[in-house]
Amino acid sequence: MTLVTLKDVLQPALRDGYAVAGLVTLGWEDMRAYVAAAEAEGCPVILQAGPSCREHTPLPVLGAMFRNLAEGASVPVVAHLDHGYTAEDCRIAIDSGFTSVMFDGSRKPLAENIEETTAIAAMAHAAGVSCEGEIGFVGYSGGENSAGTDPEEAARFARETGVDAMAISVGNVHLQQDKQGGLDEARIRAIEAVTEVPLVIHGGSGVPVAQRSALARGSAICKFNIGTELRMAFGQALRKAVDRDPNRFDRVQILKETHDPLVAATRTVLRAFKSV
Ligand SMILES: [Zn+2]
């Protein structure tokens, strides 16, 4: 049993100069591959259920899947709700056995974001669960624009809400399919100078790998969310498996062939976050 909270994995990462991957899951096949990759690399992993995952599979089912994988794993595994938009989303996740919840109030006015995040962090902590909040707004490729995190607002948000991790907007964008972006390191330095809370980068797929490694080792960024990059690896492996034999119809036989390629792609992602 190696089910742990977000705080359990991020505080050592902050202290020892590495980052932990928050891997966006969509189903059993990718969850299982992510845990196998973390075991092979000997590092902790955060399994995340975001909005599109929850649209497909109910939270109580996802909680049971995450916990089953954690119980059999040789490395620490966090069962994390990604982008909970309401207190009710977070409450259901806590009741479903998640050990960490992200409340995303980043579209709301600052005072409202702080007030709601504070209440949800208190609810989570009372249940022994960690809480991540977001300050500033991380936009979406081809969609909403970002609003960069103001360091003073970040300091206030961290102080007043009591969150265990804080997602920031520093040039990162969700759903990027290339790595041309790059993060604003001056803004990161300004934020980490005014708070002790571990920082989180959503949209990690769009960050160049060299910058991921440098920031994992030399900044307060302790969690990079990776979704698109591994969804693309899974999609390619699945397409290849489907096309390999047009007569095959059993999906378990087809899905089995996604495992090894996804483990390999995930191991590459995890290696970049390790300490020197
Ligand atoms: Zn996100």
Side-chain angles (χ1 to χ4, degrees):
M1 177 73 168
T2 54
L3 185 70
V4 297
T5 68
L6 190 64
K7 189 179 181 179
D8 290 332
V9 297
L10 295 194
Q11 285 298 326
L14 183 64
R15 187 187 62 222
D16 297 337
Y18 61 92
V20 185
L23 300 180
V24 175
T25 68
L26 288 182
W28 181 246
E29 291 74 28
D30 52 42
M31 293 171 193
R32 205 170 54 151
Y34 295 160
V35 172
E39 288 184 311
E41 292 298 327
C43 64
V45 67
I46 301 156
L47 298 178
Q48 306 198 157
S52 54
C53 180
R54 285 152 18 213
E55 202 181 296
H56 185 63
T57 308
L59 273 176
V61 178
L62 294 165
M65 291 161 90
F66 284 176
R67 290 180 76 94
N68 180 279
L69 284 165
E71 280 161 14
S74 60
V75 293
V77 176
V78 181
H80 178 77
L81 178 81
D82 191 26
H83 293 282
Y85 291 118
T86 63
E88 182 67 1
D89 285 343
C90 297
R91 191 192 59 75
I92 294 169
I94 292 168
D95 288 348
S96 302
F98 283 67
T99 56
S100 177
V101 293
M102 183 219 180
F103 172 65
D104 176 3
S106 63
R107 288 186 181 87
K108 299 170 190 267
L110 179 64
E112 212 174 303
N113 187 9
I114 288 177
E115 188 185 329
E116 293 185 24
T117 305
T118 303
I120 289 164
M123 171 177 74
H125 292 156
V129 167
S130 295
C131 182
E132 175 185 329
E134 177 168 328
I135 181 72
F137 179 73
V138 179
Y140 292 80
S141 180
E144 295 161 281
N145 288 326
S146 293
T149 300
D150 174 76
E152 288 314 313
E153 288 188 4
R156 184 181 157 201
F157 184 85
R159 198 171 53 239
E160 295 184 13
T161 61
V163 288
D164 302 287
M166 186 162 62
I168 55 171
S169 176
V170 288
N172 43 324
V173 177
H174 289 101
L175 306 176
Q176 284 181 300
Q177 293 181 31
D178 59 37
K179 297 179 175 55
Q180 308 302 316
L183 302 180
D184 178 351
E185 298 204 14
R187 196 185 282 263
I188 294 168
R189 297 302 169 200
I191 294 166
E192 68 183 7
V194 294
T195 177
E196 305 279 297
V197 173
L199 304 177
V200 180
I201 295 297
H202 284 234
S205 292
V207 179
V209 175
Q211 191 176 37
R212 291 181 200 171
S213 292
L215 290 170
R217 291 162 191 169
S219 82
I221 295 168
C222 298
K223 175 175 181 261
F224 281 86
N225 288 3
I226 305 286
T228 304
E229 182 172 337
L230 294 175
R231 271 207 309 284
M232 289 168 79
F234 182 88
Q236 283 159 11
L238 178 62
R239 183 163 291 105
K240 201 171 158 193
V242 167
D243 289 347
R244 198 167 66 73
D245 179 356
N247 293 317
R248 282 201 303 184
F249 56 85
D250 183 302
R251 77 169 179 269
V252 171
Q253 293 306 317
I254 294 167
L255 287 167
K256 267 182 186 167
E257 290 171 25
T258 64
H259 186 75
D260 291 347
L262 190 56
V263 170
T266 307
R267 288 186 69 172
T268 303
V269 165
L270 296 177
R271 259 186 299 234
F273 296 136
K274 287 184 164 181
S275 56
V276 196

